[in-house]
Amino acid sequence: MRYAIAIDIGTTNIEAALVAIDENKTDCGNKAIVMSTIIQQNVNRRFGRDVMTRITQAGRGNLHVMSTELRSQLSDMIKELAGEVDISKIVIACNTTMTHILLEEDCHNLGVYPFKPVHIERTDIMSTDIDILDGRAPVPVTILPGFSAYVGGDILSGVLSLDLFNKSGRTLLIDLGTNGEMVYHDADSDMTLVTSTAAGPAFELAGRAKATEIIEGIASLRRMGIVDDTGLLADEYFEYGYKYKEVNITQSLIRDVQTAKAAIRAGIEILLSKVSQCAYFGRGHAKEMEDSNVALIDTVYISGAFGDNLNAEDAIAIGMIPTSFRGRITPCGNTSLSGAIRYCTGMDELYIPEFDEIYLSTEQDFNDLYIEYMNL
């Protein structure tokens, strides 16, 4: 039995797992057994709640300390997970900004159009190259590749976890974290579209145990008339909030959720409009789309803060996802971590098909849609 460490470096939280690799070969290859997990708030959060702020802070001379603190946190988490167990490899999945910070690479171009990262390829180094696992023998570290500046290795790891590119039909992965990344894939045409929108840390800060209750609670308060369609709490709850199960739903929390869900919904609508318009088809060949129902998705995977417990009806009720997704939604938890765990079993290749990226900041309809979907 070999042991590995899988790590998901999120903008808000870092989650890691100690993985035992069963090398008794089966038809499905090696088997990964999760022995223990740990989650902590990302130490870099003191430099900003979102990636754009951190890119700015890195450019103001803070990159070295951000990288050093992040590496130190990873070391401490690995030590807590592994104890005296010998580790054979480490696999890390993270967004492109956190990859640059971890490797202490210039972040400037991530924040200015056309958003060119230093690189997005898979990185294979040793633990000593990034000063983690002090006092232990060096072990191989793989940092998973990404699609682009804003659809990074954490999302490709999610695709790997779900085996998305080998599924039939039209699938959509929506990762709901501090950033709302989306990957659409049509198996028949081989069309792949990716996009990302800034959602903010409202759900990730709540943790997976409470993020679902936030959505459920706001939807319930809306139905009861305690929250109006603009998101305003009734006078008697405005100052101190309304306690729903384990969550105190305050006015500021509602506003954070409104901004997050409006950005996510606007992103979904623009992505679906691009699919239906078929601005690109197959391997770069423009073609008029004959199927008027192409925007309908067969399966929607929702990963990230909601674990496996998102109530789709509540998400629909507050306008975070379209009603057309009803009956097609599969919550799937932290696919970034589960993809890294899967990669620990010995995979060598990561397939990325040809894809188009939608830059929402350049889409004329985004602001109008964002404002429209602020309402509950």
Side-chain angles (χ1 to χ4, degrees), residues 216-235:
E216 179 185 326
I218 292 174
S220 296
L221 297 189
R222 180 73 187 94
R223 295 185 189 106
M224 292 187 288
I226 294 173
V227 174
D228 68 17
D229 61 351
T230 71
L232 184 66
L233 268 171
D235 289 346

Side-chain angles (χ1 to χ4, degrees), residues 358-376:
I358 303 167
Y359 295 104
L360 296 178
S361 61
T362 65
E363 292 293 325
Q364 294 182 352
D365 293 338
F366 181 80
N367 287 338
D368 289 341
L369 288 167
Y370 177 83
I371 293 169
E372 177 183 346
Y373 289 115
M374 277 290 290
N375 278 0
L376 296 173

Side-chain angles (χ1 to χ4, degrees), residues 10-13 41-42 44-46 48-54 175-180 197-208 210-211 214 252-253 255-261 263-264 304-306:
T11 307
T12 302
N13 297 317
Q41 192 172 106
N42 189 325
N44 280 175
R45 189 171 180 271
R46 75 183 184 93
R49 301 195 336 163
D50 55 74
V51 294
M52 287 304 298
T53 307
R54 292 190 200 170
D175 186 85
L176 297 179
T178 308
N179 301 306
T197 185
F203 302 130
E204 280 198 293
L205 284 174
R208 290 198 301 278
K210 293 190 174 70
I214 291 174
S252 63
L253 177 58
R255 294 306 185 208
D256 282 347
V257 170
Q258 283 182 278
T259 57
K261 72 98 177 178
I264 291 162
F306 295 98

